[in-house]
Amino acid sequence: VMDAVILNIIGDIPTVTKVWAIGCVGLSILSGTNTIDTTKTLYSFELAFKKGQYERILYSLFDYGGFDWIAIFNIFVSVNHLATLENSFTLKRRYCWMIMIALVMIIMMSGLAQPISSLGVVLYENLVYYQIRKERNEMNLRIFGGGMNVSPLLIPLYMNCMMFFVNKKSLLQVSMNFVPGHVLYYM
């Protein structure tokens, strides 16, 4: 019975998101068991492009940390958001192009400043921002018993302000979390 439940859950995930989730879980297991050196999963523009360590790009796309409950929970939440976004596209290749364009923009920006987290997490943040912008009228949050509608854009705004003002990250580092998604929305 448990096998059928797991197969149904996995079967409902669209193809691109499923490949990404398998990559994230696989890398988490490999880094959690020290099969892969975790220093090799860290992305740096200089190491990837000036020293020719291109595998860092691939590792960083799937890097959500070691194999622990927090990483698995983050992957699970990400899969839910990305599955919804992927299902909103009628053509999977258009979704893949959108991901590639966002990734190229993130990598170009990373030439000027180191990303705050892995490329996969930054890409995910941009895709969520894109989804919120795309469906902003349908996604209003109701608080205080439904008496007040709040735009879901306030959540990324709050998080980005916290990174900028409290964590003292540069404006370019914070911008990597939403500018590519914003450009995609207007394309």
Side-chain angles (χ1 to χ4, degrees), residues 16 31 45 50 60 63 71 77 100 113 117 125 145 155 167 170 178:
V16 177
S31 63
F45 187 85
K50 294 182 181 171
S60 186
D63 186 18
V77 170
M100 288 303 298
S117 52
E125 293 292 330
I155 296 169
N167 298 337
S170 75
F178 68 91

Side-chain angles (χ1 to χ4, degrees), residues 35-55:
T35 306
I36 291 180
D37 183 11
T38 55
T39 59
K40 300 236 186 251
T41 64
L42 300 175
Y43 170 78
S44 163
F45 187 85
E46 288 77 26
L47 290 174
F49 293 100
K50 294 182 181 171
K51 303 241 181 196
Q53 298 175 7
Y54 301 111
E55 70 276 3

Side-chain angles (χ1 to χ4, degrees), residues 5 32 90 97 103 105 141 162 175 178 182:
V5 170
T90 54
W97 270 110
L103 182 61
M105 284 190 275
L141 304 172
M162 289 294 289
S175 299
F178 68 91
H182 198 71

Side-chain angles (χ1 to χ4, degrees), residues 166-177:
V166 176
N167 298 337
K168 304 294 185 206
K169 301 298 180 185
S170 75
L171 187 58
L172 186 59
Q173 286 176 310
V174 174
S175 299
M176 274 187 234
N177 286 333

